[in-house]
Amino acid sequence: MIDTEEPAGTALLLAAAPVGKGRLTDAVGVLPALAAVPPGALTGTAAATLVELADPLDPQAVLTRLRAAVATPGPLSLYIAGQLHLDHRQNLPHLALARTAPATLRYTALPWHWIAGELKLRRPGTTTVVVDLVADAPTWQRLATDRGLLALCHGVRVYGRVIAPPKRRTLASPDYLKACAAIWRSGARPPLAALHEQVLAQPGVAGDALLYAADFTPAPRPAAVAPVPSARPAPDTDPLPSILAAANSGRHAEAAAAAAAWEQHAHRTHGSSSPQAIHWLEVRADLARLAGDPAASCRLWMVAAESRLARQQTRDDPEVEAAVDRAHHQWERLRDADSARALGPALVALRRRVPGRRRGALEMVQRRLERWHDTTEDVVR
């Protein structure tokens, strides 16, 4: 059956800042304004689901909600209001949450690369991120020379601003997002680029700020990889061999872009939960393995397994078991504690549903996850 209806969109509103003297911005102050906007205006679709996260406490809980939003087939719009800090160990940006303090930043804030990693799983052109952020002094200095610090991934639209830290004992206001909300509540629905310009024209919004306005543009067609599918690709064409050949020769970005394009074509032609769409999702998972990115490969295999289960395939179906086994194998290859801890709970939940034929697989994940947490606690102490 061909899915001809436009899928509903999802808007995830995340507003967070530390409770107490570490707070630089009144992030949650923008949520009433955004919540008053019709959800479809936030996603650019006729129907939409709205998810609100106001001053969440736990980065793992935020990651779980983000992962659920990423797994939806329709357009995803992520609105983020809050403040940025650099951790002292890796010098990477983190979004502060309600319990974040300087000494516990790495364990109580949301790493920006977690957001980037999850959005890599989305089809290019289906994701929009709008930010209204305040940077603390070290992060602001770093952004002045490295705007790519907040880079996400190809195919994600990014609009908004990052402003300098406010004066002492004052709070910044998420005026960029408030202005967006005011325009939408008026009934206007300008394209994002035009909306961005209208917001910046308002007094004070573009002051001491770094501005982001990157719309999605398709990647150029790779010369040596299977072409991006047209509306009616030749029925005898099998693009997979040339995609795998590109990956095996080290052209991983080209191979991934071509596979993502074919997956998008499968979504349009056969539906978001079709076997054809899941096939290309699994191709992307294997390409991530070939590219040496076990975290992305693990995530994609888990999404593929969940997609097959959603199609009413049984937990002992060989295709379901294979997807979970491959996700498990890629998780075991992780050497980064943050990634292992981020992906571990979802893998445990999936293993409970799909035990597989490998005796003790669930217990193995649980024990290894406990060891990762024990290592973190030792570091904290």
Side-chain angles (χ1 to χ4, degrees), residues 89-101:
R89 184 175 178 182
Q90 295 179 300
N91 211 30
L92 294 175
H94 287 60
L95 181 72
L97 301 181
R99 291 190 300 196
T100 299

Side-chain angles (χ1 to χ4, degrees), residues 98-137:
R99 291 190 300 196
T100 299
T104 62
L105 179 72
R106 294 187 65 241
Y107 312 106
T108 59
L110 182 71
W112 191 260
H113 64 269
W114 284 14
I115 300 174
E118 293 302 320
L119 296 185
K120 283 171 62 177
L121 306 181
R122 298 279 304 173
R123 289 179 292 120
T126 63
T127 308
T128 301
V129 178
V130 183
V131 298
D132 198 345
L133 301 169
V134 181
D136 71 353

Side-chain angles (χ1 to χ4, degrees), residues 91 93 139-151 210 212:
N91 211 30
T139 310
W140 180 251
Q141 293 172 4
R142 175 86 182 274
L143 282 169
T145 58
D146 182 11
R147 289 182 61 116
L149 187 67
L150 301 183
L210 293 174
Y212 291 82

Side-chain angles (χ1 to χ4, degrees), residues 251-309:
R251 302 195 309 278
H252 298 294
E254 294 180 4
W262 278 97
E263 183 190 1
Q264 188 173 8
H265 175 74
H267 276 264
R268 292 194 306 266
T269 306
H270 304 286
S272 57
S273 60
S274 65
Q276 294 88 342
I278 296 174
H279 162 73
W280 284 108
L281 177 62
E282 292 178 337
V283 169
R284 290 176 57 212
D286 204 41
L287 291 175
R289 174 189 66 83
L290 292 173
D293 190 348
S297 184
C298 175
R299 292 188 195 99
L300 287 164
W301 279 119
M302 286 196 291
V303 173
E306 294 284 1
S307 299
R308 290 192 178 280
L309 289 168

Side-chain angles (χ1 to χ4, degrees), residues 136-223:
D136 71 353
T139 310
W140 180 251
Q141 293 172 4
R142 175 86 182 274
L143 282 169
T145 58
D146 182 11
R147 289 182 61 116
L149 187 67
L150 301 183
L152 292 173
C153 56
H154 169 72
V156 175
R157 301 177 182 90
V158 182
Y159 283 88
R161 67 171 191 171
V162 180
I163 64 173
K167 295 179 181 179
R168 191 177 180 183
R169 297 181 181 176
T170 61
L171 288 180
S173 174
D175 293 330
Y176 181 95
L177 283 176
K178 287 182 178 180
C180 289
I183 293 171
W184 283 321
R185 290 200 307 272
S186 73
R189 300 291 183 267
L192 277 172
L195 176 69
H196 180 72
E197 294 301 324
Q198 291 177 31
V199 168
L200 295 183
Q202 300 192 20
V205 175
D208 193 5
L210 293 174
L211 305 176
Y212 291 82
D215 212 329
F216 169 69
T217 54
R221 179 181 297 180

